[in-house]
Amino acid sequence: MRWKLGTAAYKRVPSRDAAMDPDLETPEKTPDGAGGGGAGAGPSWRRSLPHVCVATVTSFLFGYHTGVVNEPLESISADLGFAGNTLAEGLVVSICLGGAFVGCLFSGSVADGIGRRRAFQLSTLPMIVGAALSALTNSLEGMLFGRLLVGAGMGLGPPVASLYITEVSPPSVRGMYGSFVQIATCLGILFSLLVGTPVKDIDRWWRVCFWVSAVPAVLQAIAMEFCVESPQWLYKCGRTNEAEMQFEKLLGPLHVKSAMAELSRSERGDDGESVKFSELFYGRHFNVIGHKFCVLFLINCVQKCGGAL
């Protein structure tokens, strides 16, 4: 028996047919499984995991900036001279979401125009500058402008992260990797509450809270230089050879041909696989929905706990 390379897994075919078909490939098992997980196995999840983790930093920052002003808001209002002004306090908390709304409107066109990696790096720029302005300002106006800039980066980054993770993940772990976006958001909220804990004991600690947020943004901008570009984006741009190289880094050399064939079919719109509505409640599609539901429930609990604190 031989193995035929398919879109999601190897298919067994009779040896007689294998001898007649020149397109059949017999994968070889590598010593460490780096070539794709061994004979008869799908692509390894280990190759794409570092790239996914770097991409989720932007979701971590989304959660961090959402909760960073919860603890130090009283100190911020006292130092900047708007204590007791509930409208100003509400603007400091929520204006970043207004910036996020503006940023997300352009996330798709930016990601398609300059690529996923450059879109990530572009999203870190307003988050770094905005965090620095918020940390250095001595006025309400400076704080609002800094938070608005941060919000623009918050709106631009996470949609690109969801797209990028989908495009670089093997099909077998795509749903699980997709849930990393929500998990990173939860961790960002928790970390912001943890960093803000000393604010009542240390004078002007709120400035440190904003400076801390610049660190992961800088690290992501640097780390993206070592991450792969989306093969789908490269293929759409006509850079087929580069797309194959990225697939080889992500999936292993044994899976490049099948990945490119699947990508070609999806671009032509002739992928014959269809999904019924009932399949959302069982099988692999239900696993994806279950992951999303559990993570969203966790985010809700974290936000409620943060508000109670």
Side-chain angles (χ1 to χ4, degrees):
M1 305 293 287
R2 299 280 183 131
W3 297 91
K4 184 172 182 179
L5 203 58
T7 58
Y10 291 113
K11 299 178 181 178
R12 298 188 67 185
V13 296
S15 300
R16 181 180 59 185
D17 295 341
M20 301 294 293
D21 192 345
D23 293 332
L24 293 182
E25 296 182 1
T26 304
E28 299 179 359
K29 187 173 182 180
T30 57
D32 58 353
S44 173
W45 53 269
R46 294 181 180 87
R47 288 175 173 267
S48 56
L49 181 60
H51 310 280
V52 171
C53 290
V54 173
T56 55
V57 172
T58 190
S59 297
F60 175 86
L61 288 168
F62 185 97
Y64 185 90
H65 284 293
T66 300
V68 69
V69 295
N70 286 350
E71 285 290 332
L73 182 59
E74 184 178 345
S75 299
I76 293 173
S77 60
D79 288 346
L80 300 185
F82 59 92
N85 187 338
T86 56
L87 176 60
E89 291 178 351
L91 284 174
V92 169
V93 174
S94 60
I95 195 170
C96 66
L97 297 180
F101 174 76
V102 175
C104 72
L105 294 178
F106 299 96
S107 61
S109 58
V110 170
D112 288 338
I114 63 176
R116 317 312 190 214
R117 292 169 62 237
R118 295 293 177 251
F120 278 119
Q121 292 174 323
L122 181 62
S123 71
T124 62
L125 182 60
M127 286 195 279
I128 295 171
V129 175
L133 287 175
S134 299
L136 295 171
T137 187
N138 291 311
S139 65
L140 173 62
E141 292 77 12
M143 175 62 68
L144 294 177
F145 183 62
R147 293 282 287 166
L148 185 65
L149 284 178
V150 165
M154 290 169 58
L156 178 60
V160 179
S162 298
L163 179 63
Y164 180 81
I165 291 172
T166 300
E167 293 174 342
V168 303
S169 303
S172 59
V173 293
R174 192 168 292 159
M176 181 181 69
Y177 281 175
S179 66
F180 284 10
V181 172
Q182 287 81 17
I183 293 174
T185 304
C186 287
L187 293 176
I189 295 172
L190 289 173
F191 187 66
S192 69
L193 298 175
L194 179 64
V195 172
T197 301
V199 71
K200 295 182 180 179
D201 300 323
I202 303 176
D203 188 35
R204 298 192 176 184
W205 180 258
W206 61 269
R207 297 185 186 273
V208 176
C209 296
F210 287 110
W211 280 121
V212 168
S213 67
V215 176
V218 172
L219 292 178
Q220 185 185 34
I222 297 173
M224 266 297 154
E225 283 296 318
F226 305 96
C227 291
V228 300
E229 182 55 271
S230 164
Q232 281 83 345
W233 181 76
L234 292 171
Y235 186 85
K236 288 180 180 179
C237 295
R239 298 155 64 178
T240 306
N241 291 336
E242 294 180 50
E244 292 178 352
M245 293 174 58
Q246 302 306 305
F247 270 134
E248 184 173 350
K249 293 178 181 179
L250 292 167
L251 307 177
L254 296 178
H255 302 276
V256 172
K257 186 176 180 180
S258 62
M260 291 298 295
E262 182 179 3
L263 183 57
S264 178
R265 283 195 299 272
S266 65
E267 288 298 315
R268 293 197 307 266
D270 60 354
D271 194 348
E273 183 181 2
S274 60
V275 180
K276 298 179 180 179
F277 181 77
S278 59
E279 293 182 21
L280 297 177
F281 301 99
Y282 65 87
R284 61 190 179 96
H285 302 291
F286 177 76
N287 291 336
V288 175
I289 294 177
H291 280 134
K292 297 290 185 181
F293 177 81
C294 293
V295 172
L296 289 174
F297 177 77
L298 179 60
I299 290 177
N300 186 46
C301 292
V302 169
Q303 289 175 336
K304 288 184 176 179
C305 291
L309 292 174

